[in-house]
Amino acid sequence: MGLEIVNDVRTDYVCDLVKNGKREDGRGFREYRDISVERDVIKRAEGSARVKIGDTEVLVGVKVELGTPFPDTPDKGVIITNTELVPLASPKFESGPPNENSIQLARVVDRGIRGSETIDLDKLCIEKGEKVWMVFIDIHVLDDNGNLVDAAALGAIASLLNLRIPNERYGLTGENTLPMRDTPVAVTTVEIEGNILVDPSFDEGNAAASSVTVISNADGTLSGMQKSGSGGLKEAQIAEMVEIGIEKAGEIRKKYL
Amino acid sequence: MGLEIVNDVRTDYVCDLVKNGKREDGRGFREYRDISVERDVIKRAEGSARVKIGDTEVLVGVKVELGTPFPDTPDKGVIITNTELVPLASPKFESGPPNENSIQLARVVDRGIRGSETIDLDKLCIEKGEKVWMVFIDIHVLDDNGNLVDAAALGAIASLLNLRIPNERYGLTGENTLPMRDTPVAVTTVEIEGNILVDPSFDEGNAAASSVTVISNADGTLSGMQKSGSGGLKEAQIAEMVEIGIEKAGEIRKKYL
Amino acid sequence: MGLEIVNDVRTDYVCDLVKNGKREDGRGFREYRDISVERDVIKRAEGSARVKIGDTEVLVGVKVELGTPFPDTPDKGVIITNTELVPLASPKFESGPPNENSIQLARVVDRGIRGSETIDLDKLCIEKGEKVWMVFIDIHVLDDNGNLVDAAALGAIASLLNLRIPNERYGLTGENTLPMRDTPVAVTTVEIEGNILVDPSFDEGNAAASSVTVISNADGTLSGMQKSGSGGLKEAQIAEMVEIGIEKAGEIRKKYL
Amino acid sequence: MKEEIELIKDGKRLDGRGFDELRPIKIEVGVLKRADGSCYFELGDNKVIAAVYGPREMHPRHAQDAKMAVVKFRYNMAPFSTNDRKRPGPDRRSVEISKVCREAFNPVIMRELYPKMGIEVYVELLQSDAGTRTAGINAASIALADAGIPMKDLVSSIAVGKINGEVVLDLNAAEDNNGEADMPIAMIARTNTITALQMDGRMTQEEFGRGMKLARGACHQIYELQRAALVTRYNQNYEGKNKREEE
Amino acid sequence: MKEEIELIKDGKRLDGRGFDELRPIKIEVGVLKRADGSCYFELGDNKVIAAVYGPREMHPRHAQDAKMAVVKFRYNMAPFSTNDRKRPGPDRRSVEISKVCREAFNPVIMRELYPKMGIEVYVELLQSDAGTRTAGINAASIALADAGIPMKDLVSSIAVGKINGEVVLDLNAAEDNNGEADMPIAMIARTNTITALQMDGRMTQEEFGRGMKLARGACHQIYELQRAALVTRYNQNYEGKNKREEE
Amino acid sequence: MKEEIELIKDGKRLDGRGFDELRPIKIEVGVLKRADGSCYFELGDNKVIAAVYGPREMHPRHAQDAKMAVVKFRYNMAPFSTNDRKRPGPDRRSVEISKVCREAFNPVIMRELYPKMGIEVYVELLQSDAGTRTAGINAASIALADAGIPMKDLVSSIAVGKINGEVVLDLNAAEDNNGEADMPIAMIARTNTITALQMDGRMTQEEFGRGMKLARGACHQIYELQRAALVTRYNQNYEGKNKREEE
């Protein structure tokens, strides 16, 4: 109960600021917090990246293992994206199987990578119907201070971009790198009091009625979208969010990928 | 709490009626509600039937897929009967894994089909120890207004009676129909105030101390029985229930199968 | 609540006794309750033993089945130790998946057997990478009156000592006995009011701040240890516990194995 | 890259539809006796039933909201609704869809009228052919109204997508499996307010805009069908009631 | 159709029993210290222990019944009780059996004496050889009495079945696996009131009637054995108590 | 028997360490914003983060202790922390380790100050190389202090083991996998009080004694590093506060 009142107060505070054209941390509405991307941080993973957006911190590790393909795609490798919202990262997260928020997070990141066809799944096939590479993208959230999805998506693509295929470990030969065909970047905006803000902080995420994640590719095409939250949006607002999404993705791609 | 009082009142009402030789809906003690059986209602299923008994509605879909046999029966196909008491169907059902009621329902239906040896499991074997047909009988309850088990069992046998084996889908040739050896029909009676009533309505099911499901075959032999509920029954009562069960099964078989 | 007060009272009672050099049942601090080991009590198991330590009763059954080895040990058999703290055995046990207590119990017993290399896992391999014997050690607690771990470990080694490999059942030939290389015995001591007591009763187990299980072999070497409980122990206390552990294990081994 | 499969021939889709054409829709209201409100909805080969229970006491208590009703939404596929049998119980896909659908109704349900209560919406997919979540939302919208849950307006839903380079309305399974993009949308048709939006696949910003326009038009059509079905149902009830009173 | 396996030879069953003969029964009462009541029961090669806890406070609270005690019954097979190791934990079979067994006791336990309380019955199958649920009910009946739970009467249980065309009593595993039908029954022997009944396989109405008669006779025998075991136990307790008082 | 692999050469271990030498340790305090206290800890190639939340209200209520705070400890390996991907979620190993670690802190946390409350400790293994639980305990100890949880003292932890017949300190993965024994220990270094102890493998009583001595020395070293890290953190906070006040 006590906590909910605090939430209400913070929401009111954030909304008041936005009405006056301001944000908690002094940013402009279309401004991201500081971003940092550190790669190859986990020795045991075939690819990894630690991404910070402001105080939000996400660690993505990619493991590549041999497995059997799905029966309906015998000549394609497998990508599995998984998120753990471990209780270390937020007083709101709880131990237990993935809930709808962590499932949505994983699925949106996955959708961006699939939609952009970044990874050529055919190249992950070793023996049709028998042996393919399984690529496990594990998103480990360390500190949730808002906008997890952009950090997770950025960590995923950064990890994939210098993936090492562990041929040696399985006694195989072949290319150890995987040519990437695209670099999808997710940009999340929220609607608060009729305004569109990019990269919501934790409190802004709570205060917003709606949020939209737009994932776009190097050529500016869209490769995934997801509206979330309990509010409605006008077409023009969504168009603006798409516009911002493509623009900001370009900036992030240039700077960090 | 409130709900429980309502239940008590309805139980008293049903019992009073029965004492006076009457039922809520004016039926005789040995009278079924209207039955309807609609077949092949689901395109994606290899067999299906929608059964209504009064306002009770059950949808049964049968899927046939290739799988590996159980180690102890390498030359036999597999039948798996499963019930979902989805919360759509009743204010009393809850989401989650099958509880004892849905498990009992599935197992009683399964028992009838197995006991009557309706399906020749040997004919479901394609390659001994390697490949057999798996027959999944899924009972999806849509509207629970009493006597689910008779509706489910009727839906199951109706679905099986015109099952199509999907040989083509798996690149196999062979007969697409499966000769059925029997037509087990389940008939449920309840004991209320010393009287035996067939096809209990929802309130009658709640009011009854005991209920007995009798499954019988075309030749009048029994192929499954299950007593349920917290009351005791005299031998003579059970004998009467068996008598009614066989008789009513004959009528239903003639009319709907 | 009521129960907790009872627990507190019993704990105080046990502690007062110990301060005066006494135990509930009149034993000396280094004295076990009566032990009995009955072997081959379960026909369906390849090895079994019913162990009683005072009123504590544990039934261990070992099943041996064919299976595939783990990928990283293709030429070794598999041992799986599992404990069920079934609610029959104690008012404190609840139905459901293994909790931390039952997992710890199984893992400590397992550790003793593995640490002593009692079973030559190489001899459980039938066909490298394909077929090995899986040895399931199932610990079924029947009556929890304290010190389950010593009873469980004794039951496990007693069951293993006359294990029959079921070659015939799988159409195999070969030795039906498995040469055992050692006889690890677990001895648990607890610390109460600065004193070290062996073989804690139920109330002593609750009253103790710490308990230590020491598993040792025929030659007096250690093959497993586990401290449990919320207290701290001095080095000298642990040394004493190890000393007692090795001594008592020798006595038990001589008498019951 | 997917090999291109011919999904459009002579300006028509394989099932004969034009680019902006909906599949046939069939609606029945009040089909279940136990539920407080219900609706059977067909969209092409999709067959879905929605049921609504509530507002009723919410369990467990700690899941209650002191200020407004909590809406539960469960999207579930029957095991036999798909080509390969679907294992019973929720999977990651259905958990996500349930969330998106629930949020699609939050802007319209007057939740503040029922603090501490629960409103439960259950959608069962009996037969699926792509676009199942849009069919589910359309059905749920009617079932909510049938249950008498106060709503500011109905929610209507449809998907648009891209096949063989063309932006088209309401993909069927063949189109969805072999197409380039799929974008399910839910909206309050009368105010053009979008309450759900997802996109999968690859499309340009311009195609996205065209898709939105197509979806808007279709949602208006669906809204009219939903309204008509509810009016029919209301009249039936009214007549039924009058009849009973006359007797 | 099952190939017929010879289970009857010269009018006797393979284990030498006549058609209406029970397997050997062994009963020990009060075998567990922690439980409020307990019983070890052997029926041929079946070895089962039952324990009873309660009446005691019921958790969680919402599972309480304001008018009477709630009976919990858990039938569980030890992993090593079967030829192939049984995976620990409840499966569909044991869930169903637990329900049937619980209901078998509802007519006799005076639940109305303990509103809001729970009475818990745990049955562990240590070694199985067909007829396990009947052995479990017999054991539980004694354990309930040993725990002092007020009951109107004991419940006794046995199965009848059909092998090689004959109706026989108390099938063992070989007979159950190769027979035509199996019908476990529980009854209050003194009043011939049936409290549990299941049937599997195929039998005629006439065979069913004969089976009922066989079961009735056997339940009366079992009832006497149950009573005798409880009397012995009572005398032990009484003697023990007297002894202690003399000391 | 394991084939012996050469792990010691010319009196040195393969990574160049002496028998009584720790792997390099790196500590950062207060690395997470959301947690009440946190610590990043490296022990050789182990990378671990610990976070502490609380004391805060404990859910569910029936898990509360009326007399003191309940400590929850969750040891968890990230899926990518190991050579073979670890399936997410707790397994038997992590459940046992969580229990042992929780108990390692019970003697020092002043739980009686916070009746009915919960203190939650979360340890995430990001990269593992044997000795993960000791790294986790060391990290948790600092995170608890960083969260301001009243403790009688810090807990320090290290493993000793036996490789090629020698008792050595702080096994790495190669040594652990091919060694003869491993013994993780936690202690209150200042009072030489052992709060956690496990042993795996095979060692003599004399070797056990030597191992204890080695562990004791190492825990004293670690204790000093933990203290130093906390002092640095405190000074930072203090300076930061002063700076802000000056502005």
Side-chain angles (χ1 to χ4, degrees), chain A residues 89-154:
Chain A
S90 165
K92 293 182 146 191
F93 296 166
E94 284 173 18
S95 304
N99 63 13
E100 62 173 30
N101 291 319
S102 65
I103 288 172
Q104 177 175 261
L105 178 49
R107 284 178 64 83
V108 170
V109 171
D110 191 83
R111 209 169 289 157
I113 290 163
R114 255 173 241 282
S116 66
E117 297 184 325
T118 303
I119 298 179
D120 188 348
L121 294 180
D122 294 340
K123 297 218 168 137
L124 294 176
C125 179
I126 294 173
E127 191 185 336
K128 190 177 163 170
E130 295 292 328
K131 266 191 210 168
V132 298
W133 290 115
M134 318 272 291
V135 178
F136 294 93
I137 303 172
D138 281 295
I139 297 163
H140 218 69
V141 175
L142 297 181
D143 211 354
D144 175 16
N145 294 287
N147 197 13
L148 289 179
V149 64
D150 292 4
L154 189 52

Side-chain angles (χ1 to χ4, degrees), chain A residues 43 63 65 138 140 143, chain F residues 33 45 83 85 124 127:
Chain A
K43 224 179 178 171
K63 295 287 299 175
E65 301 189 343
D138 281 295
H140 218 69
D143 211 354
Chain F
K33 181 93 180 292
D45 269 346
N83 277 329
R85 177 175 183 264
E124 293 292 325
Q127 187 174 287

